Amino acid sequence: LSSGLDDVQAILDALDAGAIDPDLKPARTVLVGYSFGSAIALLSAAADRRVDAVAAMAIGDHGLMGRTLADPGSPVDLNANRSAVAVYGPGNPVPETDPSVFLDDLVEHAERFDFLRIAPDLLTTPVLLFHGVTDDVFPAEEHFVPLYRALVQASHPLLEADLLPTDDAFAG
């Protein structure tokens, strides 16, 4: 997750510097993310005022995941180990990285990745959230609802959110 956040920073810096294309000066920068990408989009939008809006689908609070991994007695099962093994390692989308690199990053930076900590930093950014009611990867009650409540309680003026009758893949 840390490297994904660094990548977004590098892209925003490159856009500002005209390094990608000197003629490319976006009037607005909107980050859109799904699942893992939703965390990167939300965390980046909270950290960088150059992001004008953010849309996140199937959001996963990776700060919660990091805290849970750090506490072996936690009653919350976030499927973090299963998810990491499905993504990282030989034969997976990121074959050159050991799953422990991702899991260790979550634990080490749990506070940085915490959605409730960053919620106040999103109050000036339009936020669109979509989540599936039957999402078993990032259960709504543990991932979507706390962030949504924090933004509502802070009277976020530009928040749109919807819980849809679907799963993590928005497949039904």
Side-chain angles (χ1 to χ4, degrees), residues 21-109:
D21 179 342
D23 296 326
L24 181 61
K25 295 289 184 187
R28 297 196 57 159
T29 301
V30 178
L31 299 180
V32 178
Y34 163 75
S35 196
F36 179 75
S38 71
I40 291 173
L42 287 163
L43 293 165
S44 295
D48 197 313
R49 293 290 140 232
R50 294 176 291 180
V51 176
D52 297 301
V54 62
M57 300 164 281
I59 67 170
D61 185 340
H62 288 67
L64 173 62
M65 293 173 72
R67 287 191 311 278
T68 301
L69 288 167
D71 177 8
S74 174
V76 180
D77 176 18
L78 298 175
N79 301 316
N81 287 308
R82 182 175 51 113
S83 297
V85 170
V87 173
Y88 299 96
N92 292 318
V94 188
E96 68 280 356
T97 304
D98 185 281
S100 66
V101 172
F102 173 69
L103 298 172
D104 291 346
D105 185 47
L106 292 181
V107 172
E108 182 179 343
H109 298 102

Side-chain angles (χ1 to χ4, degrees), residues 117-147:
R117 184 192 65 77
I118 64 140
D121 298 324
L122 291 169
L123 294 179
T124 59
T125 304
V127 174
L128 175 62
L129 303 174
F130 290 107
H131 204 84
V133 173
T134 60
D135 187 331
D136 62 347
V137 177
F138 298 120
E141 282 298 319
E142 295 164 2
H143 294 271
F144 171 86
V145 172
L147 175 60

